[in-house]
Amino acid sequence: MKELPKAYSSQEYEDFIYQTWETLGLFTPEVNTGKKPFSISMPPPNATGTLHLGHATMLAIEDIMIRYKRMCGYSVLWLPGTDHASIATQNKVEKIIAEEGLTRHDLGRKKFLDRVHKFVADSQSIIRNQVRKMGASCDWSRERYTLDEGLSEAVTEAFIKMYHDGVIYRGNRIVNWCPRCSSTLADDEVEYREEKAKFYYFKYGPVIIGTARPETKFLDKIIVVHPDDKRYKKYIGKEMEVEWIEGNITAKFIADNAADPEFGSGAMTITPAHSFVDFEIAKKHKLEIVQIIDEKGNLTSSAGEFAGKNAYEAREAIVEKLRKKGLVEKIDENYIHKLSVCYRCGSTIEPLVSKQWFIDVNKKVINEGKSKKSIKEKAVSVVKNGEIEIIPKRFNKTYFHWMENLRDWCISRQIWFGHRIPVYYCEKDNNGCGEIIISKDAPKKCPKCGNVKLKQDPDTLDTWFSSGLWTFSTLGWPEKTDELKHFHPTSVMETGYDILFFWVARMIIMSTYHLNEIPFKTVYLHGLVRDKQGRKMSKSLGNGIDPLDMISKYGADAVRLSLIVGATPGNDIRLYEEKIAGFRNFVNKIWNASRFALMNLNEEDLKAEIDLKNLNSADKWILTRTQNLIKKITKDMETHKYSEAGNILYDFIWLEFCDWYLEMSKVKLNPGVLIYVLKTILKLLHPFIPFVTEVLWKNTGSKNMLIIEDWPEFKKEYIFRNEEKKINIIMDIITAIRSIRAEYKVDPTRKIEAVIYSEEHLEVLHEKKEILEKMAGLKDIQIQNKGKPISKSASKVIQGVEIFLPLDALIDLEKEKERLYKEIKSEEEIISFLEKKLDNQGFVRNAPKDVVKREMEKLEISLINLKKLEQKLKGL
RNA sequence: GGAGUCUUAGCUCAGUUGGUAGAGCGUUCGCUUGACGUGCGAAAGGCCACUGGUUCGAAUCCAGUAGGCUCCACCA
C-alpha cells in the first residue's frame, strides 16, 4: 500500500537514523541484567587525524559483531575512545608550529602542551563524527581517552605497582635513540631501510677490521674474534699497542661467538655504547662502556679533535685522518646494509646508552598456582593453552616468535606529551639526598631528608604503556566497578594485523599482570586495505580513497559491504570505487524489493501470519530456502565468516528472492510468507547494512526498531524438501525456454505455445502453469504425462521433462538438428564419465554411500535425457 | 638468513569435512516484461602457476619448483 521513492538515497536517512538510535540510548547496555555480556574495546584511533580506510574496516567488522550479538540478546558493550599517541601527536603539532617558525622549546612545556591538547580536542570531534557516519553502534556514554583523569590514574597505579614488584626498573642500557625526536624508541618502533653505503677496512695492529661506521671507533680497544678462528687464535687474551685515530692505544683480543669468521676479516673491534650486539658482548665480558655520540647525534669529548661535530658529517674527515696515517686498507663502495630509522619521523636511529625506565619481562612475578611466571612466559602461555584465540591461527606462530624474543621493554620517552612518570627526585644539587620517591601525587618534601626541593622525572611513558591497559582502564580499573566485573575479559579484540605486536601483545602483558586475567578471549585480525593494483594507499601515490567521500557518494551501507565482502581475516583487501558502486546497487535492489513488497501489502497484510495449511509450492520453496539461509548465516556469524555471510545474503536476495520469488508472487501472492521472508532478510542484513534495513523496517509497521529486534530463529516446520526440488525444476524449465527463445531470436513480447511431457512432475507443472507462462513468455501450454515428439519445434530435455516449442517459421531444421547433436554429445560425455566412475570398484567401495547414490541418480537422469533427445532427433 | 601468505574467467575475488569450477565488474546479443536501466533476460570466456606424491577420485591434502606480496632478525 505504501509507496517508497524509486531509488534509495542514503543521504536522506543515515544521519537521522543514527541520531535516533543514539538518543534512544540503544547503544548503551544495561550492566547487571543477567544477560550474557559481550564486549569489545574499540581500538582507539590516534588523536592525530582523520578516519582512514583501516578505521573504516575496523568499524564495519566490529559493528557487525556488536549488532549481531545485540540482536541475539546479549548485554552488549562497544566502548569507543581515542589514543593520545604521544610521539605521533607531538610530531604533528611540532610540524604545525614549525610553520609559525616555532619549536616546542620556544613555547615551553606548558604552552606547547596547551597547543597539543587543543589539537587533540579538534581531531577527536572530527573522529567522533566520522565514526558515527560509518554507523558504528558504540556506547558514547562510556567514551574514553587515554589521557582522561581516570585512565591517567590507572597508568600511575600500574606504574607504581610494577615498580614495587620490581618489574619496572631504571637502568643504563642501550636504547634506540632518535636524535630528531630526542627520544628513545621501543624495538618495534624501529624500521629498516635498505641503503648502499661504504664499508671500510682499516689496519688495526696485526689485523684488519671492517666497519661501516668509522666515526664510532675512537675508543675501540677490544678486538673480538671467533674462538675457533685459526687465523687469530694465537692472539686471544693478548694485549698490544696499536696505532689508531688519536695516537697509540692498548688493544686486547678476546674471543666470542658473536664474531663471524666469514664476515669481513673475521676480526672486529667493538663499540659497546652504540651497538646492541657490542653492548651485549661488553656486558658479558665486563668491559668499559663509553659514550662517543651524544643525544643530539654529535661526537662527545671522547672524539678528541672531532668533538662536537655531527657524527655522520665527521665520518669522511676521520677516514681521511686514518688514510694519512696509512691505516686505510680498502673501501668497499657497494656495501648494502639496512639502516635503522624512526618509524615516526624517518630519521636515522642512533643506538646509545642512556638511563631509562624499563619493564623487566623475565622477572617471575605472576602467580600461577604454586609457581611464578614471568610476564613473558605468561603472555605466551595464555595463547598456547587456548585461553586466547587468535584468528587467523597462523598469527600464533608470529606472536610466539615475537614474545619469546622480547627484550626488556623501554617505557620512558623524552617526549612532553603523555603520562608523566610518577617519580620524584630529591635533588642533590638542591641540598637533597638523592632519594627516589615513587608517588601518585607530587610529594611536598622528601620523606628521607625533608628537603622540599623535589623534581619530577621529566620523561613521559611510552604511549603503548597506557594503551596496554585499555581493556580494563576504560572500565574503571583500579576501582572494582560493576562494568569491570561484567565486561572483562572483553569478548573480542578486533584490529589490523600490523599492530599485533605494538598493541595486542602489550594488552596481554598488562592484563595478565595487573588483573591476572586475559584482556580478551578472541583476537580477530583484519588485513590492510589496498588499491586495485594491490598497492598500499598513500598520499604520495595519490591512490587513497577517503571513506567519507565514498559514504556521501554511495552511502555508509555500501562502503561497509565493500570492506567486508571479500575480506578474510589476516588477508589484505583491495578496494576500488566500482566495487563500492556495485554494493550501492545491491542496497538499492533491497530497497526496491521491499518497495515492491510494500506496494502489494496493506496494513492487515503486514500483520499476516504464515498459515501452514495455505501454502503453494513456491511459498514452501522460499520458506525452505529462508531456513537454510538463517542456519547458514547464523553459523557464519558465530565463526566470524562475515565475507561469506555477505556473499550468501547477496546471492539469496538477488537471485532467489528477487529474480524468482518476487516474480512468482506476481502471479500469486501470499502476504504472510512475503512479509515473513522480507522481515527475516532485513534482520539478517541489519548487522551488515544497518541504515537501509532500519529505514525499511520502519515501513513494515514494526513496533521496535530493528537494531533491537531478535535475530531470526531457524524453524523446522518451514522446511519442505520436496517443494524445494519441484520449484527448482520449474526454474530450470523456465531458464531453458528463455535460452531457446534468445537463441532463436524470438521477439521478447511474443507469447509462444509450448508442449511439455513429464510423468514425474506433472502435478507441479499444472500448479505452476501460470508462472511458466508469465516467466517464460508462453501461452496455451499443453502439459501431458507423455506424447510424441513435436516435429518442427525447438526442444529441450530438463531432468527428464520434455519441452517442445513449435516455432514453425522460425525453426530451421538443420540448425535444430545441430543443436540436438550438441546436446546429445554433451549428455553422452556426462554418461561416459559417470559410467566410468561407477564401474570403478574402488569408487563404489570407498566413496560415501550418498555420493555413489547421487552419481547413480545423475546417470539415470542423463540416460533418460539422452533417450528422449534421440527420439526427438528422429522425429524431426 | 628465518617465517608467513598468495598464484582460479580480461579485472577483482568466492570455492571449510577431497566428488571434473562460481560471482561481481567488463565483453557480446536482446529488452520501457505490473519494484528496480543503480534494472531484466540470454550468452561467450578457465589443462584452478608448474612438477611429483597420497587417494577410487585433488582447485581442495602433502612435498618440491617458479613468481608476487608481507613480517621478523640483522652482521661489525
Side-chain angles (χ1 to χ4, degrees):
Chain A
M1 280 306 123
K2 216 158 210 164
E3 180 134 358
L4 297 171
K6 253 182 137 173
Y8 172 63
S9 91
S10 53
Q11 294 234 21
E12 271 178 52
Y13 305 96
E14 290 184 350
D15 290 347
F16 175 74
I17 291 280
Y18 192 91
Q19 219 180 344
T20 313
W21 287 328
E22 194 180 342
T23 46
L24 287 175
L26 302 179
F27 302 157
T28 304
E30 294 166 58
V31 178
N32 282 321
T33 51
K35 282 184 180 177
K36 274 197 274 177
F38 182 84
S39 55
I40 297 180
S41 287
M42 185 189 291
N46 284 355
T48 47
T50 53
L51 194 75
H52 57 70
L53 282 167
H55 296 126
T57 305
M58 173 274 282
L59 293 168
I61 298 173
E62 290 178 26
D63 197 42
I64 287 175
M65 296 177 176
I66 287 289
R67 284 179 190 269
Y68 168 66
K69 287 291 181 181
R70 190 184 287 123
M71 290 176 84
C72 287
Y74 285 72
S75 155
V76 167
L77 173 65
W78 189 13
L79 195 144
T82 39
D83 187 83
H84 67 286
S86 56
I87 298 183
T89 311
Q90 172 157 334
N91 280 354
K92 189 118 187 179
V93 176
E94 279 186 278
K95 261 185 206 154
I96 293 170
I97 61 170
E99 281 167 24
E100 301 163 23
L102 294 169
T103 70
R104 63 175 154 135
H105 300 285
D106 295 334
L107 289 175
R109 191 163 189 146
K110 189 175 174 305
K111 274 193 179 159
F112 177 74
L113 286 179
D114 286 346
R115 285 292 295 263
V116 178
H117 291 312
K118 192 179 168 301
F119 171 80
V120 166
D122 289 347
S123 322
Q124 280 175 328
S125 68
I126 295 170
I127 289 168
R128 282 188 200 111
N129 175 42
Q130 291 174 331
V131 171
R132 286 183 168 93
K133 285 273 180 199
M134 277 297 291
S137 61
C138 51
D139 183 3
W140 292 106
S141 74
R142 288 190 170 83
E143 188 193 352
R144 293 291 183 273
Y145 171 47
T146 44
L147 282 179
D148 279 349
E149 203 177 314
L151 272 69
S152 300
E153 229 167 85
V155 167
T156 310
E157 178 83 16
F159 185 96
I160 292 173
K161 181 166 180 256
M162 294 177 105
Y163 179 83
H164 288 311
D165 272 2
V167 178
I168 285 182
Y169 68 92
R170 192 172 184 229
N172 262 313
R173 291 224 359 225
I174 187 157
V175 293
N176 302 294
W177 181 265
C178 173
R180 217 283 327 159
C181 300
S182 298
S183 181
T184 53
L185 293 173
D187 291 342
D188 44 69
E189 287 173 324
V190 176
E191 282 177 358
Y192 294 89
R193 216 162 40 207
E194 206 158 81
E195 200 192 56
K196 203 163 100 176
K198 289 180 183 171
F199 193 77
Y200 306 85
Y201 290 89
F202 300 124
K203 291 186 186 126
Y204 191 86
V207 297
I208 303 292
I209 59 155
T211 182
R213 300 203 58 191
E215 68 275 14
T216 64
K217 296 275 151 200
F218 287 94
L219 298 178
D220 284 11
K221 46 193 170 188
I222 302 295
I223 305 159
V224 183
V225 297
H226 194 273
D228 301 331
D229 196 326
K230 285 191 186 112
R231 292 170 294 178
Y232 307 118
K233 226 167 181 166
K234 56 189 172 205
Y235 297 122
I236 294 170
K238 297 246 168 71
E239 288 193 8
M240 61 187 68
E241 287 278 300
V242 298
E243 192 189 359
W244 197 225
I245 309 170
E246 302 283 295
N248 281 11
I249 53 171
T250 309
K252 187 182 177 187
F253 278 89
I254 63 168
D256 195 291
N257 288 330
D260 177 3
E262 304 291 317
F263 189 85
S265 63
M268 64 176 177
T269 60
I270 56 168
T271 313
H274 303 287
S275 153
F276 282 85
V277 177
D278 295 2
F279 184 80
E280 292 302 321
I281 297 172
K283 262 197 359 194
K284 205 158 111 193
H285 296 273
K286 299 196 168 59
L287 305 172
E288 196 190 358
I289 295 167
V290 186
Q291 191 168 356
I292 314 248
I293 297 169
D294 68 14
E295 279 78 0
K296 289 185 181 121
N298 295 335
L299 293 166
T300 63
S301 57
S302 313
E305 62 170 291
F306 298 101
K309 291 214 167 80
N310 177 281
Y312 288 94
E313 287 161 12
R315 181 180 296 171
E316 279 309 313
I318 294 162
V319 173
E320 191 48 39
K321 186 167 180 187
L322 285 164
R323 192 194 309 277
K324 277 183 189 146
K325 289 185 164 211
L327 294 176
V328 176
E329 170 77 10
K330 63 170 178 178
I331 298 171
D332 180 355
E333 302 275 346
N334 294 313
Y335 176 64
I336 306 286
H337 78 144
K338 285 201 175 162
L339 193 65
S340 51
V341 296
C342 172
Y343 83 129
R344 290 294 184 197
C345 72
S347 312
T348 309
I349 295 298
E350 196 59 69
L352 50 81
V353 173
S354 161
K355 200 166 216 183
Q356 301 290 341
W357 290 94
F358 293 91
I359 288 182
D360 186 336
V361 296
N362 292 308
K363 189 170 172 145
K364 310 243 180 202
V365 282
I366 301 177
N367 289 319
E368 183 138 306
K370 280 180 187 166
S371 63
K372 282 186 179 236
K373 273 200 161 93
S374 71
I375 281 175
K376 199 159 135 174
E377 288 164 343
K378 181 72 183 178
V380 168
S381 79
V382 290
V383 175
K384 221 156 225 169
N385 69 20
E387 272 186 81
I388 295 177
E389 183 196 13
I390 301 179
I391 301 172
K393 269 208 288 288
R394 67 185 137 91
F395 280 95
N396 277 2
K397 210 171 171 176
T398 339
Y399 173 81
F400 292 138
H401 183 257
W402 186 83
M403 202 49 104
E404 279 157 6
N405 290 299
L406 189 64
R407 293 188 284 194
D408 283 2
W409 170 17
C410 174
I411 51 168
S412 45
R413 294 288 181 278
Q414 292 63 50
I415 297 275
W416 288 351
F417 183 53
H419 298 100
R420 285 292 285 274
I421 292 177
V423 173
Y424 301 82
Y425 304 103
C426 178
E427 289 183 287
K428 280 191 174 150
D429 303 349
N430 269 318
N431 308 319
C433 62
E435 177 76 352
I436 294 176
I437 307 144
I438 312 294
S439 168
K440 221 168 123 180
D441 306 302
K444 295 236 158 48
K445 57 181 187 181
C446 173
K448 201 170 167 194
C449 73
N451 180 19
V452 292
K453 295 256 172 88
L454 302 172
K455 198 177 157 200
Q456 185 171 9
D457 193 303
D459 291 354
T460 52
L461 286 165
D462 178 9
T463 200
W464 301 107
F465 188 94
S466 57
S467 355
L469 310 174
W470 186 248
T471 60
F472 52 98
S473 65
T474 52
L475 294 173
W477 187 87
E479 299 292 315
K480 291 193 174 99
T481 60
D482 288 345
E483 277 87 349
L484 189 63
K485 260 183 263 165
H486 192 58
F487 291 117
H488 205 273
T490 61
S491 311
V492 178
M493 170 49 56
E494 194 284 331
T495 188
Y497 64 74
D498 50 332
I499 56 168
L500 177 65
F501 306 134
F502 280 123
W503 190 42
V504 175
R506 256 92 178 202
M507 284 190 285
I508 295 175
I509 286 174
M510 288 302 209
S511 183
T512 50
Y513 172 79
H514 287 289
L515 273 63
N516 210 347
E517 184 173 284
I518 52 172
F520 30 70
K521 294 167 196 141
T522 303
V523 177
Y524 181 102
L525 299 168
H526 64 248
L528 269 41
V529 183
R530 295 171 178 280
D531 72 0
K532 197 169 183 176
Q533 281 88 47
R535 299 174 305 179
K536 255 187 173 170
M537 292 193 181
S538 70
K539 272 185 194 156
S540 55
L541 279 171
N543 60 348
I545 294 179
D546 179 355
L548 289 177
D549 282 354
M550 294 299 112
I551 289 173
S552 65
K553 207 162 164 189
Y554 299 107
D557 291 330
V559 171
R560 291 166 63 114
L561 275 179
S562 65
L563 290 168
I564 294 299
V565 175
T568 45
N571 294 320
D572 294 349
I573 179 179
R574 301 189 185 196
L575 187 73
Y576 39 92
E577 202 166 333
E578 303 97 284
K579 190 169 169 183
I580 304 172
F583 285 111
R584 186 269 321 264
N585 295 354
F586 175 57
V587 168
N588 190 55
K589 186 76 181 172
I590 296 163
W591 177 264
N592 271 291
S594 310
R595 178 171 183 256
F596 171 78
L598 296 170
M599 277 166 74
N600 286 287
L601 297 169
N602 60 32
E603 291 294 315
E604 281 301 298
D605 292 337
L606 291 177
K607 288 179 217 139
E609 297 280 326
I610 292 174
D611 177 4
L612 282 174
K613 283 181 230 105
N614 182 24
L615 296 174
N616 66 43
S617 47
D619 297 328
K620 290 181 177 174
W621 169 76
I622 196 70
L623 284 175
T624 307
R625 302 298 302 155
T626 306
Q627 300 319 302
N628 267 1
L629 183 73
I630 294 171
K631 203 170 179 178
K632 172 75 176 136
I633 300 301
T634 306
K635 195 181 163 202
D636 286 343
M637 298 304 265
E638 291 295 335
T639 50
H640 304 292
K641 289 178 182 163
Y642 306 108
S643 172
E644 170 86 353
N647 266 320
I648 300 280
L649 284 164
Y650 185 100
D651 286 349
F652 177 86
I653 287 159
W654 208 311
L655 304 178
E656 301 195 56
F657 183 62
C658 291
D659 289 352
W660 291 102
Y661 187 68
L662 290 186
E663 291 304 320
M664 291 182 187
S665 294
K666 286 175 183 172
V667 172
K668 191 166 185 352
L669 187 142
N670 184 327
V673 174
L674 181 57
I675 193 68
Y676 163 79
V677 176
L678 178 66
K679 282 183 159 188
T680 302
I681 291 171
L682 292 177
K683 284 179 178 182
L684 294 174
L685 282 169
H686 184 259
F688 295 85
I689 45 173
F691 290 113
V692 69
T693 50
E694 188 71 85
V695 177
L696 290 167
W697 185 258
K698 200 174 157 197
N699 286 288
T700 61
S702 312
K703 243 192 350 221
N704 289 330
M705 289 193 89
L706 180 54
I707 184 176
I708 49 166
E709 274 288 333
D710 291 337
W711 186 251
E713 200 186 323
F714 173 81
K715 288 186 177 158
K716 258 206 328 263
E717 63 269 32
Y718 290 171
I719 297 274
F720 306 92
R721 292 285 174 221
N722 265 335
E723 280 76 4
E724 189 184 9
K725 275 188 202 145
K726 284 182 192 166
I727 292 296
N728 278 331
I729 287 170
I730 297 292
M731 285 160 53
D732 286 348
I733 292 169
I734 291 170
T735 304
I737 295 172
R738 284 170 173 172
S739 174
I740 292 172
R741 291 180 62 119
E743 210 174 322
Y744 278 99
K745 302 205 189 309
V746 179
D747 179 349
T749 56
R750 185 179 149 199
K751 306 267 180 226
I752 58 175
E753 292 169 10
V755 178
I756 301 175
Y757 301 145
S758 170
E759 298 201 41
E760 207 189 338
H761 305 294
L762 204 58
E763 197 187 337
V764 71
L765 282 164
H766 276 294
E767 186 199 322
K768 294 291 166 251
K769 191 175 166 198
E770 215 181 320
I771 281 172
L772 284 166
E773 285 177 348
K774 187 163 172 64
M775 295 185 72
L778 305 175
K779 61 175 182 186
D780 305 326
I781 313 180
Q782 291 180 47
I783 300 166
Q784 294 167 15
N785 58 354
K786 57 174 116 179
K788 278 190 183 163
I790 312 287
S791 60
K792 261 268 182 205
S793 73
S795 57
K796 195 121 183 175
V797 182
I798 298 293
Q799 304 269 316
V801 178
E802 295 171 84
I803 306 157
F804 299 93
L805 303 176
L807 290 167
D808 301 326
L810 285 172
I811 299 293
D812 174 340
L813 272 185
E814 283 312 305
K815 192 178 163 194
E816 183 61 17
K817 261 186 200 162
E818 213 173 284
R819 226 175 52 81
L820 283 173
Y821 274 131
K822 238 168 100 185
E823 292 210 17
I824 285 170
K825 205 181 153 212
S826 97
E827 211 67 66
E828 280 172 346
E829 272 168 18
I830 294 169
I831 289 166
S832 116
F833 169 75
L834 288 171
E835 279 179 339
K836 216 170 112 194
K837 201 168 183 180
L838 287 162
D839 281 347
N840 182 341
Q841 285 310 301
F843 173 73
V844 180
R845 205 171 38 237
N846 297 323
K849 282 207 173 77
D850 59 310
V851 173
V852 178
K853 198 181 151 205
R854 204 164 63 220
E855 300 297 273
M856 283 167 74
E857 282 168 3
K858 276 200 247 169
L859 178 62
E860 209 176 313
I861 288 169
S862 283
L863 285 168
I864 294 171
N865 288 351
L866 179 67
K867 204 174 125 200
K868 292 188 170 165
L869 284 166
E870 281 169 341
Q871 278 173 7
K872 270 195 283 184
L873 193 61
K874 267 188 237 160
L876 273 180

